[in-house]
């Protein structure tokens, strides 16, 4: 049985490893808002459990077992987010902290029943894929709206920024998952973009365009 702290470390390492093959202890410390010395102690414990590979100054990688555990935690987190939004009518900017607590429930039967009750959803309310019990999930290529050219279209399918403020902004602008968008203008001065969102015209900044993801 892994502790809550160990599970949080494995999940953080997994997310960081999506951008860097080997993750530094400083990166982990920043992601978890903790001291580098505390990270060093924990990664040694995780290495002793054979959940990560760790050599001083060489960075950290997950073992196959460590990655499976991380994906199981992520699966539970995203299932709970889906449940809170779809069944309990919370907004998508309200559920992350609650799911952070619920993801540590260890009952396999509860999670299996939850998954079945919701008819096995494939994506959470923010568009992120939900892994199955084996840690497998179908990947789809997401692109930021900022990569689109004039008159190109796409379906909003995810976000890079999960902070409540950003999600609330998207909600107000009706830039939510599943909406079809078309780029009708790109402003040369600041590279901001004018979008047609299912009949409505919306002006978004370059920063928003980089953090809002679509599929073509």
């Amino acid at each position: 049985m892994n502790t809550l702290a160990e599970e949080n470390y494995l999940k953080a390492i997994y997310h960081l490893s999506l951008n860097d093959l080997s993750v530094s202890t400083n990166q982990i410390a920043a992601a978890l808002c903790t001291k580098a010395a505390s990270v060093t102690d924990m990664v040694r414990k995780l290495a002793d459990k054979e959940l990560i590979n760790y050599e001083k100054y060489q960075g950290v990688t997950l073992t196959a077992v460590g990655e499976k555990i991380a994906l199981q935690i992520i699966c539970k987190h995203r299932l709970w987010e889906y449940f809170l939004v779809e069944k309990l009518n919370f907004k998508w900017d309200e559920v992350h902290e609650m799911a952070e607590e619920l993801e540590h429930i260890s009952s396999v039967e509860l999670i299996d029943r939850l998954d079945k009750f919701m008819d096995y959803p494939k994506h959470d309310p923010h568009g992120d894929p939900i892994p199955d019990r084996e840690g497998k999930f179908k990947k789809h290529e997401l692109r930021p709206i900022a990569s689109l050219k004039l008159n190109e279209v796409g379906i909003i399918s995810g976000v890079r920024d999960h902070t409540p403020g950003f999600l609330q902004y998207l909600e107000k602008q009706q830039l939510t998952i599943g909406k079809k968008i078309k780029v009708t203008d790109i402003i040369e001065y600041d590279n901001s973009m004018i979008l047609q969102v299912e009949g409505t015209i919306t002006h978004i900044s370059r920063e928003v365009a980089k953090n809002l993801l679509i599929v073509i």
Side-chain angles (χ1 to χ4, degrees):
M1 178 71 71
N2 299 299
T3 67
L4 183 150
E6 289 171 345
E7 290 185 348
N8 283 337
Y9 268 77
L10 292 173
K11 186 177 69 168
I13 293 166
Y14 175 82
H15 285 308
L16 290 168
S17 70
L18 296 177
N19 297 318
D20 296 289
L21 186 61
S22 183
V23 179
S24 72
T25 52
N26 285 335
Q27 286 177 293
I28 299 169
L32 294 175
C33 299
T34 191
K35 296 178 181 178
S38 299
V39 173
T40 301
D41 290 341
M42 178 58 81
V43 297
R44 284 174 178 158
K45 291 178 184 178
L46 294 173
D48 288 341
K49 288 188 170 186
E50 298 184 346
L51 299 176
I52 64 168
N53 302 302
Y54 171 64
E55 289 185 32
K56 198 172 183 180
Y57 308 121
Q58 299 299 314
V60 174
T61 58
L62 291 170
T63 64
V65 175
E67 181 175 342
K68 184 175 181 179
I69 293 171
L71 285 166
Q72 287 171 344
I73 299 161
I74 291 167
C75 169
K76 289 187 284 185
H77 182 100
R78 293 175 181 174
L79 279 174
W80 283 118
E81 285 194 333
Y82 187 94
F83 174 76
L84 292 166
V85 170
E86 297 297 327
K87 303 301 180 183
L88 297 187
N89 299 317
F90 284 96
K91 293 183 179 179
W92 68 339
D93 60 283
E94 298 175 324
V95 296
H96 178 73
E97 293 302 325
M98 287 180 275
E100 285 282 295
E101 298 180 31
L102 292 165
E103 71 186 24
H104 298 290
I105 294 174
S106 61
S107 172
V108 174
E109 183 178 0
L110 173 59
I111 299 305
D112 285 348
R113 291 193 182 194
L114 180 69
D115 199 11
K116 182 178 179 181
F117 173 68
M118 297 186 298
D119 197 25
Y120 307 103
K122 300 301 181 187
H123 298 89
D124 74 7
H126 310 106
D128 294 314
I130 300 176
D132 63 20
R133 280 185 60 184
E134 301 304 313
K136 298 177 182 178
F137 56 91
K138 184 178 181 180
K139 296 181 180 180
H140 55 209
E141 289 297 322
L142 295 179
R143 294 172 54 187
I145 287 179
S147 70
L148 296 183
K149 297 177 181 178
L150 190 62
N151 294 321
E152 285 194 312
V153 300
I155 304 294
I156 297 174
S157 300
V159 293
R160 279 181 175 157
D161 184 346
H162 289 74
T163 59
F166 184 64
L167 297 176
Q168 289 164 11
Y169 168 80
L170 296 180
E171 190 83 30
K172 288 179 182 178
Q173 300 299 318
Q174 298 183 23
L175 295 168
T176 50
I177 302 297
K179 291 289 182 70
K180 182 178 181 179
I181 63 99
K182 178 180 180 180
V183 179
T184 60
D185 199 3
I186 300 174
I187 309 303
E188 185 176 352
Y189 171 70
D190 59 1
N191 285 320
S192 60
M193 305 177 86
I194 307 295
L195 306 179
Q196 180 178 315
V197 188
E198 298 185 354
T200 301
I201 300 299
T202 299
H203 182 193
I204 64 172
S205 69
R206 191 68 176 176
E207 192 65 23
V208 171
K210 290 192 293 186
N211 282 288
L212 190 53
L213 306 174
I214 53 94
V215 290
I216 302 298

